[in-house]
Amino acid sequence: MRQAHTVDQVRAAEAALMAELPDGALMQRAAHGLAHAVLDLLSPGAYGRQVVLLVGSGDNGGDALHAGAVLARRGVAVTARLLSDRVHEGGLAALRAAGGRVGDGPARPDLVVDGVVGIGGRPGLRPEAAAALSSYAGVGGGRVPVVAVDTPSGVDVDCGELPDEGGHVTADLTVTFGTLKVAHLVDPAASAAGAVHLVDIGLGPHLPAPVLEALQPADVAALLPRPARDAQKYTRGVVGVRAGSATYPGAGLLSVAGAACGLAGMVRYVGDDAVHDLVREHHPEVVGAGRVQAWVVGSGSGDGAAGTLAEALDDDVPTVVDADALDHAPRDRDGRDDLVLTPHAGELARLLDADRADVEARPLHFVRTAVDTFGCTVLLKGRHTLVAHPDGRVRATTTGVPWLATAGAGDVLGGLVGALLAAGLAPYDAASVGSWLHGAAATRASGGGPITAGDVAAALPSLLRDLLG
């Protein structure tokens, strides 16, 4: 499990650890981890390469200066561009002693290290920092690679948001220390972080429970339902699908395709006759109406969504509420907590009477608002899908590829989450595991190229075999 903590949590853990270590030891651990990440990025040969450090007044600037000293001792030509009258004195002395320089540096270095603002800095960059950064953009046919120290300068670390004014760093690699921060996992800041490399500096024993998690393959494998030795189809769970219509028959078929991944013992389809014929043709194992342990409702249901959702809710079983059914989800904070709502940004904006651009700019804020409004698990689809629980827990999904942005992919996801609910997972686990599997299946199906929603569904069985093996 990858875990993310707030700035205050990290600072408290650092203070506790520093009380156990010699003065400066924690910064040295961070600086050496940063330097070795830079060396890896400069490989196969770092000797003679040119690196510019953008150095602010905080500890991130100190990390950058000490890392620069390590790089200079490896033969890297390091120049520190100081953006404040107050910089870390020990780090500056170490850089100079190792042969590093202070000044503007070359116009086109091989790499820039962003040590401008620490994790406690305000969102946005001061004009001099923004000007320094922009001087390395587009010179000689492309942007100079940027490595951010801890988080990209200018982003909102605890919310994952970007500043309204002042700009921010867009990094190719972010090297962070001790634990992830929210901005590493939550878009749009996560997009600005690039690849994230975590350096262990010993904070673990001092960290409290995280505010955000990201499942990893071992976590998903541990959560996946497995049949008991004496299992039969009913004990493994029955998932029902009420989706699709004469206007949108494919939505019903794709919802069934996600549900029919093999995790549940049986899939039932209840709905339009035309869709039923399609389902029977492509999934002859799917049966009709009867008792279920979970419902999937809404995709492509059109005007019939209100009725089909009401019928599903009457069964009093966990229910995935998607697409057209979202407008009819019960808004009761003390009511049905066994629902999973699966909106994309546009749908959530409509439900909360917000602007879609605002939802995309502040997804963590709005998914939490949705949970408070509806009182159940909410899965907000996006590049990094967020799953939020009424008790405050949040998970981010980091699997997937841009090709997953394709029509019908959400229908497959809804069916998959429904199968996990029917097989016995709690709504929060079903939503976050389903989202992870959905992204991983898309990555497997894509192989770097275009995919369709059906490809994602088809990749699920082999992915599950590998995880369960």
Side-chain angles (χ1 to χ4, degrees):
M1 189 86 70
R2 302 193 83 184
Q3 300 180 334
H5 292 82
T6 66
V7 172
D8 286 345
Q9 288 176 322
V10 171
R11 283 176 165 170
E14 287 176 343
L17 181 57
M18 283 191 289
E20 303 171 357
L21 297 174
D23 187 40
L26 192 61
M27 181 170 284
Q28 286 295 332
R29 290 181 181 181
H32 277 77
L34 172 62
H36 286 288
V38 170
L39 288 169
D40 286 344
L41 201 59
L42 292 173
S43 65
Y47 187 86
R49 306 290 287 278
Q50 295 179 325
V51 170
V52 170
L53 314 175
L54 299 181
V55 181
S57 59
D59 284 346
N60 280 19
D63 294 335
L65 289 166
H66 278 292
V70 176
L71 295 172
R73 289 194 292 269
R74 295 292 189 94
V76 178
V78 180
T79 304
R81 188 167 177 173
L82 307 184
L83 303 177
S84 173
D85 294 334
R86 297 179 296 104
V87 298
H88 194 277
E89 294 181 1
L92 186 58
L95 177 67
R96 282 176 164 149
R101 299 178 179 180
V102 175
D104 289 341
R108 180 70 181 182
D110 294 292
L111 185 144
V112 170
V113 174
D114 160 32
V116 179
V117 179
I119 59 173
R122 296 177 181 176
L125 297 173
R126 291 186 298 178
E128 60 270 25
L133 186 70
S134 65
S135 69
Y136 301 108
V139 178
R143 187 175 69 88
V144 175
V146 176
V147 175
V149 182
D150 220 355
T151 57
S153 292
V155 306
D156 191 316
V157 178
D158 280 347
C159 300
E161 298 170 14
L162 299 180
D164 294 328
E165 298 179 354
H168 62 87
V169 168
T170 299
D172 299 276
L173 171 69
T174 296
V175 181
T176 194
F177 314 111
T179 182
L180 298 181
K181 287 74 182 176
V182 175
H184 297 135
L185 295 176
V186 174
D187 278 333
S191 295
V196 178
H197 175 64
L198 177 62
V199 176
D200 183 3
I201 57 173
L203 288 188
H206 302 284
L207 288 168
V211 296
L212 193 72
E213 297 176 327
L215 296 178
Q216 300 302 295
D219 306 312
V220 173
L223 286 167
L224 284 174
R226 290 166 169 78
R229 292 177 64 85
D230 59 349
Q232 40 100 343
K233 60 189 176 185
Y234 296 108
T235 62
R236 290 189 56 212
V238 180
V239 56
V241 177
R242 294 175 178 267
S245 60
T247 305
Y248 303 107
L253 181 61
L254 289 167
S255 296
V256 168
C261 60
L263 289 171
M266 180 185 290
V267 180
R268 297 185 183 275
Y269 178 77
V270 178
D272 189 276
D273 288 342
V275 181
H276 214 148
D277 290 342
L278 268 178
V279 169
R280 190 178 296 112
E281 177 184 352
H282 290 87
H283 298 279
E285 74 280 6
V286 175
V287 298
R291 292 186 61 185
V292 300
Q293 279 71 56
W295 279 109
V296 179
V297 181
S299 297
S301 296
D303 294 338
T308 57
L309 178 60
E311 292 170 358
L313 295 181
D314 283 345
D315 282 347
D316 200 27
V317 297
T319 301
V320 177
V321 183
D322 190 25
D324 298 318
L326 288 166
D327 289 327
H328 310 286
R331 294 173 178 249
D332 187 351
R333 189 65 175 80
D334 299 317
R336 292 289 298 270
D337 63 359
D338 60 347
L339 307 184
V340 177
L341 276 55
T342 59
H344 56 60
E347 291 166 334
L348 190 58
R350 185 178 70 247
L351 293 175
L352 299 179
D353 194 23
D355 186 83
R356 178 173 186 150
D358 289 340
V359 175
E360 291 173 338
R362 307 177 65 197
L364 183 58
H365 166 79
F366 280 100
V367 76
R368 285 172 167 161
T369 301
V371 168
D372 288 340
T373 301
F374 292 95
C376 62
T377 296
V378 178
L379 182 158
L380 175 56
K381 291 179 277 196
R383 189 188 77 98
H384 280 191
T385 289
L386 298 179
V387 178
H389 187 276
D391 67 7
R393 288 178 291 164
V394 181
R395 284 176 178 158
T397 300
T398 57
T399 57
V401 289
W403 295 110
L404 184 53
T406 185
D411 305 333
V412 174
L413 173 62
L416 173 58
V417 174
L420 289 161
L421 285 172
L425 265 62
Y428 181 64
D429 285 337
S432 49
V433 169
S435 176
W436 190 97
L437 291 171
H438 187 246
T443 301
R444 175 171 294 211
S446 168
I451 52 173
T452 65
D455 297 330
V456 179
L460 284 169
S462 66
L463 172 66
L464 290 166
R465 283 194 296 272
D466 288 348
L467 288 166
L468 292 167

